[in-house]
């Protein structure tokens, strides 16, 4: 039905285009990809753009709607990705999800009937949610026949983690035989041992969203350890840690480092409980010990080729209106050798390499580019003074 529509954006340009040396996408760009310049013509209500698009069969009005709706769409996607409060995500994945949502919004545009009383933003919400779930379904390490089955499995996963009798609750919810519920439970149990952190959360109206709620705020080592890195290298590095370090990591990550089995993060010990376990002085002391253990494991993985890592150290900064406008960071490749230097302009979302660190690649500047991407994706208020992060080198 969209064949009847034109989409002529002559006179309008996107405000946000890739400008980093490797053409990569930063979070700033990903969250502003639908912004236009000049500004679209002013209307009393952004739903008027949709009405114009339907009336004139012209999708430029749909682009005008996206210009204003993008902030709300970003919020929905962030909520989908970061239910646990973590503000870190891959901007390229974020943009892929957003474009999937836009595709769903476009496909459903001709079916929108304004006379029914709902604004387009309200009408399109369930289709946006389905688009996000469908995207995640395509990423999973397992597959199902349909989005409906996927939602039902997510529901069962939530019930499995949050109720005493998941099969019985599932049967009541879907008014199905207990035998069918048991089959879904059997599938979920099998997936749980393959798919790390298969936990779901409920949204405000009580419906399962299918959102992961298990990422750690700062050190997402379970993903690093068991998703894409040879387990043998992990085990060898882990075996070199002392007992206290091993226990801190296993308890806090709710993961068995021997087999990779993941437990429920709902029941993992808090830092207060870890402090008591190790007779620590405080929760903050246990947290520092945990982070040191994670850093030690990272260094061991760097040594055996399991991961690469970048150390970052803030050298100087300037503020404007209580926010960091520019900053100079030193960086170290694989935690060894002479430090390099990068200048950041956070207002414009750019990073410029002043000096390469030892071991950084001369052509692609892999470590510097990882550092630039990492810091540009940080919230301004949470820019670290000193940190280290790990990554896998793309072949």
């Amino acid at each position: 039905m969209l064949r009847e529509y034109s989409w002529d954006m002559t006179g309008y340009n996107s405000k946000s285009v890739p400008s980093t040396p490797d053409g990569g996408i930063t979070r700033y760009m990903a969250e502003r990809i639908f912004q236009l310049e000049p500004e679209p013509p002013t209307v009393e209500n952004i739903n008027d753009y949709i009405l114009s698009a339907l009336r004139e069969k012209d999708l430029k009005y749909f682009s005008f709607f996206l210009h204003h709706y993008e902030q709300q769409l970003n919020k929905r996607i962030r909520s989908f990705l970061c239910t646990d409060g973590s503000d870190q995500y891959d901007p390229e994945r974020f943009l892929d999800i957003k474009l999937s949502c836009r595709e769903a919004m476009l496909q459903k545009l001709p079916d929108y009937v304004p006379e029914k009383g709902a604004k387009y933003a309200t009408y399109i919400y369930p289709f946006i949610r389905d688009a996000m779930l469908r995207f995640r379904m395509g990423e999973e390490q397992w597959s199902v026949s349909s989005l409906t089955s996927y939602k039902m499995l997510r529901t069962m996963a939530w019930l499995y983690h949050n109720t005493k009798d998941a099969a019985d609750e599932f049967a009541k919810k879907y008014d199905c035989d207990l035998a069918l519920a048991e089959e879904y439970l059997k599938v979920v149990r099998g997936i749980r041992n393959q798919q790390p952190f298969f936990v779901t959360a409920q949204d405000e109206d009580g419906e399962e969203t299918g959102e992961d709620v298990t990422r750690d705020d700062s050190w997402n080592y379970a993903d690093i350890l068991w998703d894409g890195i040879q387990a043998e290298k992990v085990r060898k590095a882990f075996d070199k840690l002392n007992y206290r370090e091993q226990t801190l990591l296993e308890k806090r990550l709710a993961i068995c480092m021997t087999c990779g089995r993941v437990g429920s993060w709902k029941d993992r010990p808090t830092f207060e409980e870890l402090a008591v376990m190790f007779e620590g002085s405080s929760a903050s002391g246990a947290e520092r010990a945990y982070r040191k253990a994670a850093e030690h494991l990272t260094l061991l993985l760097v040594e055996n080729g399991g991961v690469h890592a970048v150390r970052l150290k803030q050298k100087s900064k300037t503020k404007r209106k209580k926010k960091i406008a520019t900053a100079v960071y030193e960086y170290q490749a694989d935690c060894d050798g002479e430090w390099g230097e990068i200048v950041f302009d956070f207002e414009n979302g750019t990073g410029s390499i002043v000096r390469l660190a030892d071991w950084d690649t001369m052509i692609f500047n892999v470590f510097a580019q990882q550092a630039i991407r990492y810091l540009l994706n940080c919230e301004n208020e949470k820019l670290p003074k000193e940190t280290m992060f790990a990554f896998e080198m793309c072949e």
Side-chain angles (χ1 to χ4, degrees):
M1 295 180 68
L2 288 173
R3 293 178 181 176
E4 306 172 7
Y5 289 72
S6 63
W7 201 345
D8 184 5
M9 297 303 295
T10 302
Y12 291 92
N13 296 300
S14 173
K15 287 183 180 179
S16 180
V17 294
S19 60
T20 54
D22 62 351
I25 299 293
T26 66
R27 188 166 69 176
Y28 182 91
M29 298 171 193
E31 294 191 357
R32 293 163 177 80
I33 201 71
F34 296 149
Q35 296 301 294
L36 300 172
E37 55 181 5
E39 289 280 324
T42 304
V43 292
E44 185 175 342
N45 189 296
I46 65 170
N47 205 61
D48 293 342
Y49 292 129
I50 297 299
L51 299 180
S52 295
L54 293 172
R55 183 175 57 252
E56 300 183 27
K57 296 290 190 291
D58 190 343
L59 293 180
K60 72 179 179 183
Y61 294 104
F62 177 75
S63 293
F64 296 164
F65 173 84
L66 286 178
H67 173 90
H68 294 282
Y69 183 72
E70 186 169 27
Q71 186 174 358
Q72 185 175 346
L73 181 58
N74 287 339
K75 183 179 178 180
R76 296 198 185 284
I77 298 174
R78 283 197 299 267
S79 176
F80 181 72
L81 293 175
C82 309
T83 314
D84 62 325
S86 172
D87 58 6
Q88 299 300 316
Y89 56 77
D90 177 14
E92 294 184 3
R93 180 171 180 251
F94 183 95
L95 181 56
D96 285 342
I97 295 174
K98 184 188 283 191
L99 293 177
S100 296
C101 293
R102 184 185 69 171
E103 181 67 19
M105 293 169 71
L106 273 171
Q107 293 301 322
K108 293 297 179 180
L109 176 63
D111 299 331
Y112 172 56
V113 181
E115 290 76 17
K116 291 187 176 181
K119 293 183 178 179
Y120 181 70
T122 303
Y123 156 78
I124 203 64
Y125 170 68
F127 301 109
I128 289 175
R129 185 174 57 189
D130 282 355
M132 292 189 290
L133 282 173
R134 190 174 288 109
F135 184 93
R136 174 170 283 169
M137 183 176 74
E139 291 184 316
E140 302 284 9
Q141 297 172 2
W142 45 278
S143 62
V144 293
S145 58
S146 67
L147 182 60
T148 300
S149 296
Y150 180 76
K151 288 180 177 179
M152 292 174 75
L153 282 172
R154 284 284 180 180
T155 298
M156 176 58 83
W158 188 90
L159 292 171
Y160 179 60
H161 280 273
N162 294 277
T163 64
K164 292 182 179 180
D165 193 339
D168 185 60
E169 293 295 328
F170 185 90
K172 291 178 182 177
K173 181 177 178 67
Y174 288 102
D175 191 23
C176 65
D177 293 336
L178 189 60
L180 178 61
E182 292 286 357
E183 286 298 316
Y184 272 95
L185 181 58
K186 182 179 179 180
V187 173
V188 164
R189 283 171 174 161
I191 292 170
R192 184 175 179 270
N193 292 331
Q194 303 171 32
Q195 188 74 16
F197 308 151
F198 192 75
V199 184
T200 56
Q202 283 189 310
D203 57 19
E204 291 179 356
D205 63 6
E207 182 173 352
E208 287 75 20
T209 63
E211 297 165 0
D212 291 341
V213 294
T214 51
R215 291 186 301 273
D216 187 270
D217 284 350
S218 52
W219 293 89
N220 193 7
Y221 270 89
D223 282 348
I224 294 173
L225 299 181
W226 298 105
D227 184 16
I229 297 177
Q230 296 178 9
E232 186 61 29
K233 291 181 179 179
V234 177
R235 291 192 182 98
K236 287 181 178 179
F238 185 74
D239 287 343
K240 294 181 180 179
L241 299 176
N242 61 42
Y243 172 77
R244 186 169 186 267
E245 292 172 325
Q246 290 179 347
T247 305
L248 278 168
L249 288 171
E250 287 193 309
K251 294 291 185 183
R252 184 60 184 168
L253 294 174
I255 186 171
C256 174
M257 299 298 292
T258 302
C259 65
R261 185 178 178 84
V262 177
S264 172
W265 274 40
K266 178 183 176 182
D267 301 322
R268 66 175 180 159
T270 63
F271 285 119
E272 288 85 352
E273 292 170 333
L274 288 175
V276 173
M277 187 182 303
F278 288 97
E279 299 180 354
S281 58
S282 64
S284 60
E287 184 175 1
R288 285 194 298 271
Y290 162 72
R291 293 179 185 279
K292 287 181 179 179
E295 183 172 322
H296 189 190
L297 181 59
T298 301
L299 293 174
L300 292 171
L301 284 168
V302 169
E303 289 177 7
N304 70 18
V307 296
H308 292 278
V310 176
R311 283 191 188 276
L312 288 167
K313 188 163 50 178
Q314 192 181 91
K315 187 177 179 181
S316 62
K317 65 181 178 182
T318 58
K319 284 191 171 184
R320 186 174 291 112
K321 294 181 180 179
K322 297 184 179 180
K323 287 193 173 184
I324 297 177
T326 62
V328 177
Y329 274 86
E330 294 180 317
Y331 80 101
Q332 190 180 43
D334 276 343
C335 308
D336 188 28
E338 293 295 324
W339 294 67
E341 189 171 288
I342 305 171
V343 175
F344 289 87
D345 182 343
F346 292 108
E347 291 183 320
N348 294 314
T350 60
S352 303
I353 303 169
V354 177
R355 183 177 67 256
L356 285 177
D358 282 355
W359 323 125
D360 204 355
T361 56
M362 294 297 294
I363 297 176
F364 297 107
N365 317 141
V366 173
F367 290 88
Q369 295 303 331
Q370 287 286 343
I372 291 172
R373 187 169 299 168
Y374 178 87
L375 288 173
L376 290 181
N377 288 334
C378 286
E379 291 288 344
N380 192 275
E381 296 81 4
K382 297 180 180 179
L383 284 168
K385 292 183 178 180
E386 189 170 345
T387 190
M388 179 179 73
F389 66 92
F391 68 94
E392 291 184 77
M393 190 80 76
C394 297
E395 299 296 337

